[in-house]
Amino acid sequence: MEIKAIGCEPLQLKRMHIKDGHTLKVYQETGGYESLKKAMNMSQDDIINEVKASALRGRGGAGFPTGMKWSFVPRQSPKPKYVVCNADESEPGTFKDRYLLERDPHALIEGMLIAAFALGAAACYVYFRGEYRYLIDIMDKAIDEARAADIVGKNILGSDFSCEFFTHTGAGAYICGEETALLSSLEGYRGHPRMKPPFPAIEGLYACPTVVNNVETLTAVPQIIEMGGKAWQELGTEKSGGTKLWSVSGHVKKPGVYELPMGYKDLEKFIMEDCGGMLRDDKKLKAVIPGGSSVYIMNAEQIVGKGVTMDYEGLVVGGSMVGSGGFIVMDETVDVMESTKNLTEFYKHESCGWCTPCREGTDWLVKIFNRISEGGGRPEDAQLLLDICDNIEGKSFCPLGDAAAWPIQSAVKRFPEDFKKWLLNKTNGNGVVANI
Amino acid sequence: MASALATDFTNKIVYTDEVAEFSPEVVEEMKSHLVKYPPERKRSALIPLLFVVQRERGWIDNAGVNFLAKFLELEVTDVWETATFYSMFNLRKIGRHHIQICKTLSCKIMGEPEITEHICNKLNIHPGETTADGKFTVTLVECLGSCGTAPMMQIGFDYHEDLTTEKVDQILDSLK
Ligand SMILES: Cc1cc2nc3c(=O)[nH]c(=O)nc-3n(C[C@H](O)[C@H](O)[C@H](O)COP(=O)(O)O)c2cc1C
Ligand code: SF4
Ligand code: FES
């Protein structure tokens, strides 16, 4: 598996190939914790303004501007404030945070401490998906090292800034990546999402002001403080600042984690050249899911010769979304009915059960997919899938419902042949994928 | 083909007042989790402590739950409420080695079906079942964040990636 930067200096990936890069010693030898020192000599507003100027947008999936999110946290609060890192990384096709956590844990500690200093937070929690146990061990060691060096805990670096730092584990639930469900889980409850507003910035962990950010978002913060927000932004585009990590899996020769400047041109070159092209030379590209399983699937016609730009705006124009940046590349051997069924099973399994459209809807979707794949597909089944999606999308309590609907809606529309073929071979009629 | 069904190991949960006992070291370990959270927010430690119970007792059982309820000053139903939500908590006894094969899309298209078939044939069980000697349980799970090194499986907490049938044989043969 490749881990490398293309079209830019490695920033997020700076320590990926440095021996013992995960230790405090090597981290500091390679410039680590200088940004924290710098930030602690800045005003809280100045730090937030640098992050705003960087045009950093949340890397967890929603792409919300990070500086703006931080500015929602009340300056003065009678309650303690918290910074929480979302290391739940469970979006199918996404595995970038894992390598940051494994090989550069101090970068996350530094980013979170800068956030904590800027927001006046009393403690930081890193919420790991339960399966990432080995990464929790690595992070716990890094925290111990940092504590021994007066970098976390009381009177950080001899100042009057104190901030505690802890790891926390989930236990197998994709929904706990949703920030309010994550907070419920961190409080020891079932991982059900909460009503927004109030947003976590006002009432988050323990009903206290809380910022929740993705790992990659927080590890960008020391870079932004080091080089200045404007300079970091200019690595990317005006609205999509900086560089971004992309996880690539599926039918390519060189799967891996790639760091690209935002605005990279273009998606076809990325897959066909940077990622080594198709795994099997005699198989053609069929489909790409560019942003983790929850975004629209793209067909080859939307990619080949289309010059799709890799940033928030460019991928929307191209017909999908950045999401979590998880590329799943599929060649012509894949049947998109089957791949969509696979993802729908995922959403059914991961639906938290809180609201009816998502809980019941995903269950019915899987039942219909099962019927189709067992050879009992009815001509109207494609439309039936779309109707159910329509009753989930926008009508569910949290975005997991939408995430279950979008792959199906885009798959039926963009790969009608793969559905028709399953619905045609019926004695009960000449199946037509209706209205698509 | 199955020599032993999972049901051989299914303990129907009998709700009694039995409270599990843990060694002083384990109780110390549990206390070390409590310090992470505000004193009035003990419940936050519930998931980490359920993992400790599972490690010590092999699964989440009635007596272990009763212990946690006392330890965290919660109702027994609070503990069950959380324990039954999360897929990593085993509410029945499982084999000594829990083989969790990822079945999500990237793994699926990169060879998961062959890996699953190979493992199940080798162990003579279906996914969801435990071998008669209680050594292995095989479960199909959702994406584990190893899609770039698919197909993959997790045994206990250990990741095994870029799997081939030969590699699987080596791994399984090395387990006691
Ligand atoms: C169903 C669902 C799953 C999510 N999973 C993750 C996740 O695994 N990791 C993550 O960082 N964000 C995840 N998110 C996004 C979070 O809700 C939240 O937007 C994010 O953690 C905020 O951090 P950011 O602004 O730095 O991206 C998920 C959202 C939803 C709706
Ligand atoms: S949309 Fe799904 S995951 Fe979200 S609250 Fe409703 S049931 Fe739970
Ligand atoms: S799809 Fe198997 S690890 Fe992600």
Side-chain angles (χ1 to χ4, degrees):
Chain A
M1 207 194 74
E2 301 279 325
I3 302 182
K4 69 174 189 190
I6 295 171
C8 61
E9 285 297 307
L11 286 173
Q12 295 282 9
L13 300 182
K14 183 174 165 183
R15 292 184 190 82
M16 290 300 121
H17 303 293
I18 297 181
K19 190 170 178 297
D20 295 330
H22 65 285
T23 60
L24 177 62
K25 181 166 172 290
V26 176
Y27 186 68
Q28 286 183 309
E29 280 167 10
T30 50
Y33 290 116
E34 291 304 316
S35 296
L36 175 64
K37 287 180 198 156
K38 185 172 171 187
M40 286 172 61
N41 284 314
M42 292 164 67
S43 75
Q44 296 177 316
D45 285 337
D46 284 349
I47 298 173
I48 295 176
N49 284 335
E50 288 302 327
V51 176
K52 278 187 178 161
S54 75
L56 169 63
R57 295 169 61 168
R59 302 295 195 233
F64 193 83
T66 305
M68 198 190 296
K69 184 186 267 190
W70 290 12
S71 67
F72 294 154
V73 174
R75 286 275 103 204
Q76 302 299 332
S77 161
K79 300 183 199 167
K81 298 180 231 175
Y82 296 104
V83 173
V84 174
C85 173
N86 189 339
D88 192 58
E89 190 160 66
S90 313
E91 173 87 2
T94 315
F95 46 93
K96 64 190 174 73
D97 295 342
R98 184 175 158 200
Y99 293 95
L100 295 175
L101 295 162
E102 180 183 292
R103 303 187 189 180
D104 207 358
H106 284 284
L108 179 63
I109 298 178
E110 183 171 15
M112 290 183 77
L113 288 176
I114 294 170
F117 181 80
L119 302 168
C124 298
Y125 290 95
V126 187
Y127 182 103
F128 288 81
R129 64 178 299 176
E131 295 88 346
Y132 279 178
R133 173 65 60 92
Y134 85 102
L135 298 175
I136 303 182
D137 295 340
I138 292 172
M139 184 60 71
D140 280 336
K141 284 208 187 79
I143 296 169
D144 286 345
E145 279 184 305
R147 184 169 286 123
D150 285 335
I151 293 167
V152 308
K154 288 220 161 53
N155 302 108
I156 291 174
L157 300 171
S159 71
D160 53 13
F161 168 50
S162 298
C163 187
E164 269 311 328
F165 206 104
F166 303 111
T167 55
H168 184 91
T169 179
Y174 167 66
I175 188 58
C176 291
E178 193 284 329
E179 57 184 7
T180 61
L182 183 154
L183 296 172
S184 304
S185 180
L186 182 43
E187 292 178 7
Y189 293 88
R190 298 173 79 107
H192 292 304
R194 301 172 179 174
M195 185 69 99
K196 297 194 263 192
F199 288 91
I202 311 297
E203 277 186 33
L205 183 62
Y206 309 133
C208 298
T210 303
V211 155
V212 182
N213 275 131
N214 173 256
V215 177
E216 186 191 346
T217 312
L218 289 160
T219 54
V221 171
Q223 303 157 21
I224 291 167
I225 296 302
E226 183 189 337
M227 64 172 73
K230 187 75 188 133
W232 195 86
Q233 174 264 311
E234 284 169 355
L235 296 169
T237 67
E238 192 188 331
K239 288 197 184 130
S240 303
T243 65
K244 151 120 203 83
L245 296 180
W246 304 86
S247 320
V248 182
S249 63
H251 294 144
V252 289
K253 283 203 183 66
K254 295 193 252 172
V257 176
Y258 293 90
E259 179 170 13
L260 306 180
M262 280 291 194
Y264 188 79
K265 286 192 179 54
D266 63 275
L267 196 151
E268 181 185 2
K269 172 179 177 290
F270 178 57
I271 296 169
M272 299 316 259
E273 293 176 25
D274 302 330
C275 299
M278 301 314 289
L279 180 64
R280 295 167 283 221
D281 289 320
D282 60 335
K283 298 283 182 273
K284 285 209 286 288
L285 175 70
K286 179 164 181 178
V288 174
I289 301 174
S293 62
S294 301
V295 305
Y296 294 149
I297 186 171
M298 302 168 80
N299 59 30
E301 293 82 82
Q302 293 174 294
I303 295 167
V304 179
K306 288 297 187 307
V308 177
T309 307
M310 293 175 64
D311 60 19
Y312 291 98
E313 297 74 33
L315 273 171
V316 170
V317 173
S320 192
M321 273 177 276
V322 167
S324 63
F327 266 71
I328 306 172
V329 180
M330 291 170 259
D331 70 21
E332 58 188 335
T333 61
V334 174
D335 180 318
V336 173
M337 190 291 287
E338 289 179 333
S339 70
T340 312
K341 172 176 184 278
N342 178 279
L343 292 181
T344 308
E345 287 165 359
F346 169 81
Y347 290 106
K348 178 200 150 159
H349 185 257
E350 300 302 335
S351 169
C352 82
W354 184 253
C355 71
T356 314
C358 167
R359 181 189 63 239
E360 303 300 321
T362 52
D363 193 51
W364 281 110
L365 289 168
V366 168
K367 284 197 177 108
I368 295 163
F369 271 118
N370 283 339
R371 172 164 81 201
I372 296 173
S373 71
E374 283 157 12
R378 300 173 190 168
E380 65 276 13
D381 275 351
Q383 187 57 43
L384 188 55
L385 289 172
L386 294 178
D387 287 347
I388 296 174
C389 288
D390 203 37
N391 282 310
I392 299 175
E393 189 197 9
K395 300 177 178 75
S396 300
F397 188 74
C398 90
L400 189 143
D402 299 341
W406 292 339
I408 300 175
Q409 291 167 335
S410 50
V412 172
K413 199 157 147 195
R414 293 172 180 176
F415 297 87
E417 296 306 322
D418 282 21
F419 286 82
K420 265 185 202 156
K421 138 176 123 201
W422 286 95
L423 306 176
L424 269 172
N425 298 330
K426 292 286 116 252
T427 49
N428 59 345
N430 51 339
V432 188
V433 186
N435 299 331
I436 53 174
Chain B
M1 124 194 171
S3 62
L5 290 176
T7 44
D8 293 351
F9 286 85
T10 300
N11 296 37
K12 196 158 178 292
I13 298 168
V14 183
Y15 298 97
T16 66
D17 293 335
E18 186 196 347
V19 180
E21 283 179 35
F22 295 96
S23 71
E25 295 80 47
V26 172
V27 173
E28 276 314 305
E29 179 190 350
M30 290 185 174
K31 284 187 186 152
S32 76
H33 284 283
L34 279 184
V35 300
K36 297 179 176 182
Y37 315 98
E40 72 282 11
R41 297 289 183 172
K42 283 202 182 97
R43 183 169 179 155
S44 273
L46 184 49
I47 292 175
L49 295 195
L50 280 163
F51 273 118
V52 177
V53 167
Q54 178 155 297
R55 187 194 68 211
E56 292 296 312
R57 301 183 68 81
W59 58 307
I60 303 294
D61 69 335
N62 175 68
V65 166
N66 288 343
F67 174 90
L68 286 185
K70 281 213 164 59
F71 190 75
L72 296 174
E73 296 170 61
L74 296 171
E75 297 297 330
V76 170
T77 47
D78 293 335
V79 180
W80 280 118
E81 176 188 291
T82 296
T84 51
F85 183 81
Y86 295 92
S87 63
M88 288 180 78
F89 293 132
N90 300 311
L91 303 175
R92 60 178 173 91
K93 270 190 188 162
I94 60 159
R96 214 155 55 248
H97 302 290
H98 191 187
I99 303 173
Q100 300 145 94
I101 310 168
C102 170
K103 65 171 272 285
T104 314
L105 188 52
S106 302
C107 287
K108 180 72 87 193
I109 64 174
M110 293 300 286
E112 173 274 318
E114 291 90 316
I115 297 295
T116 302
E117 196 190 333
H118 183 75
I119 293 176
C120 288
N121 283 341
K122 192 176 164 91
L123 301 179
N124 203 18
I125 52 175
H126 294 106
E129 296 174 351
T130 299
T131 52
D133 57 2
K135 187 167 171 188
F136 295 106
T137 298
V138 174
T139 313
L140 296 181
V141 299
E142 300 292 352
C143 179
L144 291 171
S146 275
C147 331
T149 45
M152 65 81 62
M153 64 182 172
Q154 191 173 26
I155 303 184
F157 283 113
D158 296 332
Y159 275 73
H160 300 278
E161 307 170 53
D162 286 318
L163 293 179
T164 58
T165 49
E166 297 80 53
K167 208 165 159 183
V168 166
D169 286 340
Q170 278 169 19
I171 295 164
L172 295 193
D173 294 346
S174 74
L175 292 173
K176 292 269 156 339

